[in-house]
Amino acid sequence: TLEGEPPAEEALSVTGIERLIGRHSRLAASQARLDELLERHRGRPVVQVALMLHNRDQEMAGSVVSSALAFRLFLFVVPLLVFAVGIAGFLGDIVDETDVGNAGIGGALAAQIDSALSQPNATRWLAVLGGLFGVVLAGRTLSRVLVAASCLAWRLPVRPKASVRAVVTIIGLLLGLTLAIVVVNKLRND
């Protein structure tokens, strides 16, 4: 180090603390400007709607509910893919590698589907039945989260479980949407 300078570790920590203090003061100043701006425009309808939506989101724990919904959707898609791979295995005479690529599937997943198309019947049945079981199980939990999110959004009492009709409807809608996407991709590429 040069004469009169603190050691490097000490200089870094002082600089880090100073930066932290500077950030805190800038954040406080920005917060004060935003509060003043909000108070000045509070009576405007657009601001009122934005505030109402923010308060409603805070009230129903919107970020937690949306995270739970995104997680359940992911858990639904995984067994849906296993089910689709099993079905594609039965259609191995009709489906070839170019169809897999045309469906928008590539990389490791495409390689897995290509290998599934050449698997014996027992493996195909296992994939179809296991995927179907997973779809029903994940669809059940997904519908419970959707029902709970809906009840929270509409300020209704949260029901502990979804009806069988709701579960079947959600699974059917998602399966139909998936099938429609595949058909549209196939038609677009032909």
Side-chain angles (χ1 to χ4, degrees):
T1 62
L2 299 175
E3 280 186 43
E5 273 189 18
E9 300 85 20
E10 193 176 311
L12 285 176
S13 67
V14 169
T15 305
I17 291 173
E18 288 173 350
R19 275 190 269 159
L20 184 62
I21 291 171
R23 285 181 186 160
H24 185 273
S25 63
R26 285 191 305 272
L27 181 63
S30 295
Q31 183 68 41
R33 282 193 305 270
L34 285 174
D35 287 343
E36 180 215 332
L37 189 64
L38 178 66
E39 288 305 318
R40 199 168 19 155
H41 297 287
R42 188 175 284 279
R44 297 191 177 183
V46 173
V47 175
Q48 292 288 26
V49 168
L51 286 174
M52 183 185 67
L53 289 174
H54 174 72
N55 291 338
R56 187 78 175 265
D57 183 63
Q58 294 289 318
E59 177 185 308
M60 67 172 277
S63 60
V64 175
V65 172
S66 63
S67 297
L69 184 58
F71 181 64
R72 297 298 187 218
L73 277 170
F74 170 75
L75 290 180
F76 181 81
V77 168
V78 172
L80 180 63
L81 284 175
V82 171
F83 177 74
V85 166
I87 294 294
F90 285 115
L91 303 174
D93 299 335
I94 301 168
V95 178
D96 60 2
E97 291 181 26
T98 58
D99 292 329
V100 173
N102 290 341
I105 300 170
L109 183 59
Q112 291 296 322
I113 290 174
D114 287 339
S115 81
L117 292 174
S118 62
Q119 294 296 320
N121 267 348
T123 306
R124 294 174 189 162
W125 278 110
L126 184 64
V128 167
L129 294 176
L132 188 61
F133 177 75
V135 163
V136 169
L137 191 65
R140 184 173 158 261
T141 60
L142 174 62
S143 28
R144 286 180 22 203
V145 169
L146 283 170
V147 166
S150 221
C151 288
L152 286 170
W154 291 103
R155 294 180 178 155
L156 298 172
V158 178
R159 290 185 260 157
K161 62 182 182 178
S163 68
V164 174
R165 182 175 158 218
V167 173
V168 171
T169 302
I170 290 169
I171 291 172
L173 284 173
L174 291 174
L175 287 175
L177 180 63
T178 304
L179 182 63
I181 290 170
V182 169
V183 168
V184 166
N185 280 338
K186 178 74 173 158
L187 292 174
R188 185 181 307 158
N189 291 323
D190 283 346

